[in-house]
Amino acid sequence: MNELLGKKALVTGGSRGIGAATSIALAEGGADVAFTYKSSADAAAKVVKEIEALGRRAFALEVDAADAVAVADGVQGAADRLGGLDILVNNAGVGAIAPITELTLADVDRVLAINVRGAYAAAQAAVPRLSDGGRVIHLGSCAAGRVTSPGMTLYAMSKAALVGFSKGLARELGARGITSNVVQPGPIDTDMNPADGPFAQAQIGALALDRFGTPAEVAAAVTYLAGPAAAYITGTELTIDGGHLA
Ligand code: NDP
């Protein structure tokens, strides 16, 4: 239970969905947690309360992942408030489901700015602050490995980029005992991808299991990678997708 006691974690996009579940799960493991959000201040305040109720410190920071300067400042602010940094979870992300002929270059810039450049900027700012033996964990997507329906070009591209980024980081940070891995979720029931949404049945049809996953199930995978049992796992992907790749 307390394998993360004394650890200090930053989760990007922690106000809702997988990021909120991850922030709470890390706190359940014993970590103090800072997380960012873009506009859901009320939801963020709720997550702070939940973490504080667990006896851990929590800080919610309003930081747009598309603004790389703000992201770097947010990392410094989080590390200052926490008194250090052991774990970075790059979770903030947006979907972009439409045929390539309908997506504009502005869409490409926006999605890559949040899903890829935001993750890069957060890691770049975090690296000098991360403790030796620390963790960097990125939220990718099973769409990085297998795309089962049309309309996913931009989203899949953005998530595939995180795989290469994470492997490069693993090589750069290995000498310090810092690991970098990608968690690749399948369809998870959140505001981004509700289990009763218009695309839900098609997604379930591509799985071995007959249901969406939950944010808590993904958070458990992130928490595992953040913990001491995963110290020798780096530069790889942990797939938690209900059999999307089976
Ligand atoms: P949600 O849309 O439910 O939540 C997104 C979270 O990210 C919110 O806390 C939101 O903050 C934050 N966020 C979004 N844009 C920004 C931004 N520009 N700056 C800062 N924070 C931002 O998404 P999920 O929980 O479903 O997804 C989380 C991650 O998991 C994403 O990277 C997603 O791509 C990935 N993923 C999700 C899957 C799914 O099926 N749900 C499957 C595979 C991967 P705010 O509340 O302020 O808007």
Side-chain angles (χ1 to χ4, degrees):
M1 233 338 232
N2 278 332
E3 70 281 3
L4 299 178
L5 200 59
K7 299 295 183 191
K8 299 161 181 98
L10 169 62
V11 178
T12 66
S15 50
R16 294 183 290 114
I18 293 167
T22 296
S23 298
I24 292 163
L26 291 171
E28 283 170 345
D32 291 329
V33 181
F35 66 87
T36 66
Y37 66 97
K38 178 162 182 266
S39 47
S40 302
D42 289 349
K46 235 178 105 195
V47 174
V48 166
K49 277 209 176 99
E50 276 196 60
I51 292 172
E52 288 176 344
L54 294 164
R56 304 296 160 219
R57 293 185 301 143
F59 305 100
L61 309 168
E62 187 185 337
V63 176
D64 184 353
D67 179 343
V69 174
V71 169
D73 288 347
V75 170
Q76 302 304 347
D80 288 346
R81 287 190 208 193
L82 290 165
L85 194 61
D86 303 294
I87 300 160
L88 169 67
V89 182
N90 271 324
N91 165 80
V94 290
I97 312 302
I100 190 168
T101 47
E102 287 176 19
L103 289 165
T104 65
L105 291 178
D107 291 325
V108 176
D109 288 345
R110 183 182 64 88
V111 171
L112 294 184
I114 296 169
N115 293 6
V116 182
R117 195 182 59 180
Y120 193 101
Q124 190 178 48
V127 162
R129 306 291 303 258
L130 274 173
S131 59
D132 288 357
R135 300 282 189 273
V136 185
I137 300 159
H138 315 270
L139 266 295
S141 165
C142 63
R146 180 172 178 240
V147 179
T148 52
S149 59
M152 302 283 282
T153 53
L154 177 52
Y155 184 71
M157 178 173 75
S158 74
K159 293 302 186 179
L162 291 177
V163 175
F165 175 48
S166 176
K167 286 180 190 292
L169 263 185
R171 290 285 180 189
E172 279 198 35
L173 303 179
R176 293 171 54 196
I178 298 172
T179 66
S180 175
N181 292 289
V182 184
V183 169
Q184 306 280 42
I188 307 299
D189 185 15
T190 66
D191 295 339
M192 179 190 283
N193 189 13
D196 58 359
F199 308 112
Q201 281 313 315
Q203 291 177 79
I204 289 171
L207 305 179
L209 300 178
D210 196 24
R211 65 171 178 86
F212 269 43
T214 66
E217 287 172 321
V218 180
V222 176
T223 305
Y224 166 67
L225 286 173
Y232 201 57
I233 300 175
T234 195
T236 193
E237 296 141 55
L238 177 50
T239 299
I240 170 157
D241 69 352
H244 180 265
L245 296 179

